[in-house]
């Protein structure tokens, strides 16, 4: 259903008429009048203006008359509202958050084309809003190749079997043949989910471990309404309840930017240093991270983190004595 455009400038309403005509095979004058909140006679003037610009609008007069674009005529969507332009611009800038930094040159070119299509006022507003936003990828995001992702998505769309070399931590590289039902992004990683011919069962594959993707001629039929995200989540290990961590660090917040993961982490200035609050499922790794920051710190919670440091201290003392240390 169309929504009120909120644009009262006549030129913008003329462009809105064009957008509505491109969205439907035909539109009645009454519908256009209702959406634009103008009279049918005003709609006729907007249509006449489009025709004067060379846009082939055809119409039927009388009760129930409708307008349509000449069959086969289409204009590229070069006119955007401020919100539409901002969403596109921020989306292009945020690709690296999905591990798609390889698309940076294409995103830059697309952004330049977008800027050229915008009216000066809209472009200046979008640039100002972009300048007020800072985006940073978490260290946990894993990059994938643009060509591999594009090839895989094409195979999913065409329902074509793919073959690729797959390397996992548990096994050496081997060739896998898979009917990929969906590709998806979860917790900083890209996955392919589908039926593995080798195992003859559903399997998940990380795209950053794939290489030498080949799209085969064989086709398949994906199960209807397959929920790849639910299946992927069911294969991941059940996480322990996250520990609520509170630590004071003898360092300014600006000195920690880029050194502290942004995932489930908050830092703020406090008492000449930084208060770090975080949620973590495993504490030993976080304890090692704190030791590696090379600044004084105080653990205010949870008690389990203090116990981890106690065990680490005992192991360090054993190393100092030359005694063997077990994992």
């Amino acid at each position: 259903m169309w929504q009120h455009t909120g644009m009262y400038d006549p030129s913008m309403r003329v462009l809105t008429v064009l957008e509505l005509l491109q969205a439907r095979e035909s539109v009645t004058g009454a519908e256009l009048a209702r959406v634009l909140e103008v009279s049918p006679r005003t709609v006729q003037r907007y249509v006449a203006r489009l025709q004067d610009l060379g846009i082939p609008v055809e119409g039927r007069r009388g009760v129930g008359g409708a307008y349509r674009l000449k069959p086969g005529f289409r204009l590229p969507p070069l006119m955007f509202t401020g919100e539409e332009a901002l969403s596109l611009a921020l989306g292009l800038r945020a690709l690296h958050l999905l591990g798609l930094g390889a698309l940076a040159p294409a995103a830059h070119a697309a952004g330049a084309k977008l800027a050229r299509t915008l009216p000066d006022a809209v472009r200046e507003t979008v640039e100002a809003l972009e300048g007020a936003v800072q985006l940073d990828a978490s260290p946990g995001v894993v990059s994938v190749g643009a060509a591999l992702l594009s090839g895989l998505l094409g195979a999913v769309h065409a329902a074509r079997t793919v073959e690729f070399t797959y390397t996992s931590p548990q096994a050496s590289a081997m060739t896998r043949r898979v009917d990929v039902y969906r590709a998806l992004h979860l917790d900083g990683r890209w996955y392919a989910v589908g039926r593995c011919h080798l195992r003859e069962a559903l399997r998940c594959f990380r795209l950053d471990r794939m290489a030498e993707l080949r799209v085969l001629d064989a086709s398949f039929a994906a199960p209807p309404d397959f929920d790849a995200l639910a299946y992927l989540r069911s294969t991941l290990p059940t996480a322990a309840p996250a520990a609520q961590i509170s630590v004071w660090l003898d360092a300014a917040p600006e000195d920690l930017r880029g050194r502290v993961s942004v995932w489930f982490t908050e830092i703020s200035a406090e008492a000449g240093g930084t208060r770090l609050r975080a949620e973590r499922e495993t504490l030993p790794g976080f304890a090692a991270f704190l030791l590696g920051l090379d600044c004084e710190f105080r653990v205010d919670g949870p008690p389990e983190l203090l116990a981890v440091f106690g065990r680490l201290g005992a192991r360090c003392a054993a190393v100092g004595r030359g005694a063997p240390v077990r994992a």
Side-chain angles (χ1 to χ4, degrees):
M1 177 178 292
W2 295 323
Q3 296 179 347
H4 178 241
T5 62
M7 297 181 182
Y8 291 90
D9 182 82
S11 61
M12 293 305 298
R13 283 183 166 178
V14 171
L15 292 173
T16 300
V17 171
L18 178 57
E19 290 181 359
L20 297 177
L21 290 173
Q22 290 191 108
R24 291 272 295 274
E25 182 176 348
S26 65
V27 188
T28 67
E31 287 178 289
L32 291 172
R34 184 176 66 255
V35 172
L36 298 174
E37 296 183 354
V38 297
S39 68
R41 184 175 295 276
T42 301
V43 169
Q44 292 176 4
R45 290 201 300 268
Y46 292 162
V47 170
R49 187 176 301 182
L50 288 173
Q51 292 171 333
D52 290 342
L53 293 171
I55 307 298
V57 181
E58 301 175 344
R60 299 193 309 271
R61 297 184 178 276
V63 179
Y67 300 97
R68 70 171 188 172
L69 290 175
K70 183 178 180 180
F73 178 83
R74 284 293 182 270
L75 280 176
L78 297 180
M79 299 307 298
F80 300 100
T81 66
E83 289 184 354
E84 289 170 345
L86 179 61
S87 66
L88 290 171
L90 291 180
L92 291 171
R93 288 183 56 188
L95 286 175
H96 68 287
L97 301 179
L98 296 175
L100 299 177
L103 289 175
H108 181 76
K113 292 178 181 178
L114 172 64
R116 289 197 297 270
T117 69
L118 299 177
D120 291 342
V122 176
R123 181 174 62 253
E124 291 172 3
T125 300
V126 170
E127 289 175 350
L129 293 173
E130 277 192 286
V133 175
Q134 186 175 9
L135 303 177
D136 185 27
S138 166
V141 174
V142 179
S143 297
V144 300
L148 186 146
L149 179 60
S150 177
L152 186 68
L153 294 178
V156 172
H157 177 71
R160 299 269 295 276
T161 302
V162 297
E163 190 174 79
F164 51 86
T165 302
Y166 194 73
T167 304
S168 67
Q170 296 79 24
S172 57
M174 62 186 306
T175 299
R176 307 296 285 266
R177 185 171 293 186
V178 182
D179 300 336
V180 179
Y181 301 151
R182 294 288 187 278
L184 62 155
H185 187 268
L186 177 66
D187 293 339
R189 294 178 174 84
W190 281 94
Y191 296 87
V193 178
R195 176 181 174 273
C196 174
H197 289 213
L198 179 64
R199 306 301 183 194
E200 295 186 351
L202 281 175
R203 288 292 187 272
C204 301
F205 300 91
R206 280 177 47 173
L207 267 64
D208 58 296
R209 295 173 179 171
M210 291 182 184
E212 302 173 359
L213 178 75
R214 296 171 294 279
V215 180
L216 308 180
D217 292 333
S219 61
F220 62 88
D225 302 323
F226 177 69
D227 191 338
L229 181 59
Y231 173 76
L232 176 59
R233 290 188 182 280
S234 72
T235 67
L236 299 177
T238 303
Q244 305 297 315
I245 298 170
S246 180
V247 177
W248 182 84
L249 300 158
D250 188 17
E254 55 268 24
D255 295 336
L256 298 172
R257 304 285 182 188
R259 302 168 62 193
V260 176
S261 171
V262 299
W263 291 97
F264 300 101
T265 302
E266 175 188 344
I267 61 174
S268 58
E270 180 182 310
T274 299
R275 170 63 58 182
L276 184 152
R277 294 181 174 85
E279 295 182 10
R280 292 294 184 273
E281 297 168 359
T282 57
L283 294 178
F286 190 79
F289 154 75
L290 289 175
L291 291 172
L293 285 177
D294 194 26
C295 68
E296 300 294 326
F297 62 87
R298 182 184 72 245
V299 176
D300 294 326
E304 292 82 1
L305 182 57
L306 291 171
V308 169
F309 277 111
R311 293 193 293 272
L312 288 175
R315 295 181 66 190
C316 291
V319 171
R321 296 193 304 270
V325 178
R326 296 180 178 178

